[in-house]
Amino acid sequence: MILRCRRGTPEEAVTDIERLLQENGVRTVRSPEARRPILAVLDKLPGGLAEELAASPHIEERAAPAKGAFRQVSRAFQDEPTVVRIGKLRIGPGHPCAVIAGPCSVEGRARVLENAHRVKEAGAHMLRGGAFKPRTSPYAFQGFGVEGLRQLKDAGEAVGLPVISEIMDAAHVPAFVDQGIDCLQIGARNMQNFTLLKAVARAGRPVLLKRGLAATVEEWLLAAEYLMEGGCTQVVLCERGIRTFETATRNTLDLTILPLLRQWTHLPVVVDPAHASGIATLIPTLCRASVAAGADGLAVEVHLEPAIARSDGPQALLPGELKQVVAEARILSSLFG
Ligand code: PEP
Ligand code: MN
């Protein structure tokens, strides 16, 4: 439950409500919303307390979350949309569509550096690259691990872009932080790895949370709630396609949920049409559709020679194609944003 106080409620009155709840064993979290005090109530209210709160002249509404057990991710918890800060980059409403681009996997120092130069030239805002790869087959390229993180960060620094990489293991958090990875990605396969979510929440870095292959929006937002509950307020959601009966594409891009997420959550959303479709030629169109549907950003894969990529070559854009995607996203986000 979310308690929304009237605008202008004196601070003393808010702390009285917080104290009353705390004395009854109910935990609360204060929203960062500046325009009015808002409290997320984390535990069930004991009998009688709900009536007492309802009688308070300071509480305007008791908002039940749209669905499920959302608290801090809920739209009712924050009227202002969250704008996630990653270095100088801003992801969220009121800012240009953020384009995350780079290779699927970091494939070596020279290649990731060349890739970084090309995505920077194309106008992308953050460099991606996997160093710990979640591969279906144990025989497929698994990534260069910490050395890959180092190469990615060096490439990002060389061209002046923040970097993002996928973390698969809670034990790797210190390595990601030590290597200066600016944003931690939780991949689709780990969306409900709760131990990982808790550890990443404490890393003090922004997080990009991908939707699970078969996750409902409710499950996805509750995974984001784990991050926020753990102290991470800088969460970006990433729609990357879900499993359906369709086999013509790698997954099915679910754009239906973009306007729905706007109603349910204050968190920004980016769309990854690369892992959704698996087919490079479809990606520019899907990028346009995503921005028109309200995406705050796009995540795509880029390779200079897709035919020899160590992973996901068929969905890699060429740098020239990325340039076009960035230019179109800029125009469309100014039209629809
Ligand atoms: C990736 O971004 O490289 C990746 C593995 O994506 P996903 O978790 O969406 O499959
Ligand atoms: Mn990939």
Side-chain angles (χ1 to χ4, degrees):
M1 185 208 291
I2 312 247
L3 298 176
R4 294 167 57 84
C5 297
R6 289 180 197 287
R7 278 173 169 230
T9 300
E11 177 58 26
E12 260 169 46
V14 185
T15 45
D16 281 349
I17 296 168
E18 285 173 320
R19 194 171 324 114
L20 173 68
L21 288 162
Q22 200 187 339
E23 283 165 4
N24 281 276
V26 177
R27 291 168 300 162
T28 57
V29 178
R30 183 85 74 99
S31 165
E33 176 59 45
R35 290 185 292 195
R36 66 168 73 217
I38 302 176
L39 298 174
V41 178
L42 306 188
D43 304 301
K44 204 166 176 285
L45 294 182
L49 196 55
E51 290 69 32
E52 200 172 326
L53 288 170
S56 163
H58 302 297
I59 292 169
E60 189 168 68
E61 299 168 60
R62 282 191 299 146
K67 199 168 190 277
F70 313 142
R71 301 284 194 283
Q72 300 180 62
V73 300
S74 169
R75 197 78 184 83
F77 184 64
Q78 225 181 279
D79 294 332
E80 280 289 301
T82 291
V83 174
V84 168
R85 301 178 301 274
I86 305 170
K88 280 186 259 163
L89 175 61
R90 299 287 178 269
I91 307 181
H95 294 270
C97 178
V99 180
I100 303 167
C104 176
S105 302
V106 174
E107 299 181 348
R109 186 164 284 280
R111 282 222 206 157
V112 71
L113 182 62
E114 174 70 5
N115 199 309
H117 278 291
R118 305 297 289 270
V119 305
K120 169 80 181 188
E121 274 163 28
H125 307 95
M126 181 151 65
L127 177 67
R128 63 148 287 145
F132 294 90
K133 294 301 301 174
R135 306 306 301 281
T136 302
S137 163
Y139 306 113
F141 178 55
Q142 302 287 306
F144 288 136
V146 177
E147 176 54 25
L149 295 180
R150 192 172 294 126
Q151 293 176 2
L152 177 73
K153 181 66 187 177
D154 288 349
E157 282 192 332
V159 301
L161 288 180
V163 299
I164 176 169
S165 200
E166 176 169 352
I167 179 160
M168 294 205 292
D169 189 328
H172 295 158
V173 169
F176 276 68
V177 172
D178 289 351
Q179 296 305 323
I181 304 305
D182 302 281
C183 182
L184 274 47
Q185 174 172 321
I186 296 190
R189 291 156 191 81
N190 273 308
M191 187 204 83
Q192 281 190 315
N193 180 339
F194 300 113
T195 314
L196 181 65
L197 291 169
K198 287 178 188 179
V200 167
R202 290 191 299 269
R205 295 280 149 117
V207 178
L208 181 121
L209 178 66
K210 289 194 144 192
R211 182 181 184 180
L213 276 71
T216 63
V217 173
E218 188 177 353
E219 288 163 339
W220 185 19
L221 288 179
L222 285 173
E225 187 82 33
Y226 264 89
L227 293 169
M228 294 199 72
E229 197 273 332
C232 175
T233 58
Q234 301 288 289
V235 180
V236 181
L237 300 166
C238 178
E239 160 62 33
R240 47 76 72 207
I242 48 173
R243 275 280 165 83
T244 68
F245 54 83
E246 182 58 75
T247 53
T249 50
R250 188 173 174 183
N251 290 289
T252 297
L253 181 60
D254 184 9
L255 292 183
T256 317
I257 50 97
L258 262 68
L260 184 71
L261 286 168
R262 283 275 181 254
Q263 294 175 13
W264 285 12
T265 183
H266 52 85
L267 295 174
V269 187
V270 314
V271 174
D272 169 351
H275 292 89
S277 67
I279 303 170
T281 50
L282 308 187
I283 292 171
T285 308
L286 297 176
C287 286
R288 284 180 222 132
S290 303
V291 180
D296 298 300
L298 297 168
V300 292
E301 293 184 337
V302 172
H303 204 283
L304 306 190
E305 291 175 89
I308 59 158
R310 297 195 72 172
S311 58
D312 286 349
Q315 67 193 39
L317 296 179
L318 294 166
E321 292 167 333
L322 174 67
K323 196 169 183 177
Q324 182 75 17
V325 162
V326 173
E328 289 175 357
R330 196 170 291 147
I331 295 167
L332 290 173
S333 77
S334 71
L335 267 181
F336 295 106

